[in-house]
Amino acid sequence: MDIATDDAEFRSMIDRLGAEIVEEERATEFRGLIATEDRETLAAVLTEPHRPLWAREIASFRLGLAGDPRAFEALVLLLNHRDPERCVSAAYALTRLGDPRTARAAAALATNELRVAYALLPVRLLADLRAPESVPALVTVLERRLAADDPHWRVGLACVEGLGTLGDPSARPALRAALPHPRLGAAAARSLARLGSGG
């Protein structure tokens, strides 16, 4: 499989990372990682010590788009990064990687209450994956976000929207519980409507 370099999300990532690099030595390495078509070169970046984060991000993203399972662990780490843009790129690559471990990893990240501030992209990824782990994980996270003053209500909103997209009737009780929430109620009503009538 070709290692894509013309993907729109890849170009966006490269523009973002390029702005971080000022030393000419690093710029040469940067250009090399963009240009190479050798998967072994990219995979080596993920295991060699002292490689900068941006290099690991480029390598794992390109390998992910190429369907190379060696990208999996690095992409999962980036999915839970404090920088939301890195999370977006990692989620995009994980969706295209197609690794069967992805949904389980995303569910573990989404339901880790100690990292709830970084759970937004794992939640969205679970909705995109439509895996068996998706609905139970989203319900669990949503039920924890139902306090009216919860500071992570955006994570709850992503759960509500994801459950509507997934269309699983088992989500109805959690969505009904979200109806009184001042920030989640309208979206919960929309998601319930998408699920249709039922018990």
Side-chain angles (χ1 to χ4, degrees):
M1 184 185 297
D2 185 38
I3 305 175
T5 57
D6 57 354
D7 181 275
E9 183 63 32
F10 178 76
R11 300 310 311 172
S12 175
M13 180 185 70
I14 291 304
D15 289 344
R16 167 172 55 83
L17 296 178
E20 300 177 9
I21 299 164
V22 292
E23 304 96 338
E24 182 54 38
E25 180 182 351
R26 290 301 196 190
T28 300
E29 180 185 4
F30 179 75
R31 290 189 292 268
L33 288 175
I34 297 170
T36 186
E37 291 297 323
D38 180 17
R39 291 192 194 182
E40 298 308 315
T41 297
L42 293 170
V45 173
L46 303 181
T47 57
E48 292 170 358
H50 311 303
R51 287 287 195 145
L53 181 60
W54 59 260
R56 298 181 191 277
E57 185 174 358
I58 293 170
S60 61
F61 188 99
R62 295 195 67 200
L63 289 170
L65 264 61
D68 192 314
R70 290 175 291 185
F72 175 76
E73 290 183 7
L75 289 172
V76 168
L77 289 173
L78 288 165
L79 181 65
N80 201 225
H81 197 273
R82 64 181 178 275
D83 180 352
E85 291 184 320
R86 285 196 156 98
C87 299
V88 169
S89 295
Y92 181 87
L94 280 165
T95 301
R96 284 145 188 82
L97 175 61
D99 192 295
R101 298 170 291 176
T102 299
R104 188 165 59 252
L109 293 176
T111 58
N112 182 351
E113 192 66 8
L114 296 176
R115 299 284 294 174
V116 64
Y118 309 106
L120 184 60
L121 269 298
V123 162
R124 289 178 176 166
L125 177 58
L126 283 166
D128 289 341
L129 291 173
R130 296 180 170 272
E133 296 88 346
S134 296
V135 170
L138 295 188
V139 166
T140 295
V141 177
L142 175 57
E143 288 174 342
R144 296 171 179 171
R145 307 272 69 85
L146 293 179
D149 60 349
D150 184 84
H152 306 295
W153 62 269
R154 288 181 180 84
V155 174
L157 181 60
C159 292
V160 167
E161 293 171 344
L163 290 169
T165 299
L166 292 168
D168 190 317
S170 68
R172 284 195 186 101
L175 290 171
R176 288 194 188 106
L179 289 172
H181 193 284
R183 296 182 187 271
L184 307 182
R190 289 192 296 271
S191 289
L192 281 166
R194 295 183 71 175
L195 268 58
S197 60

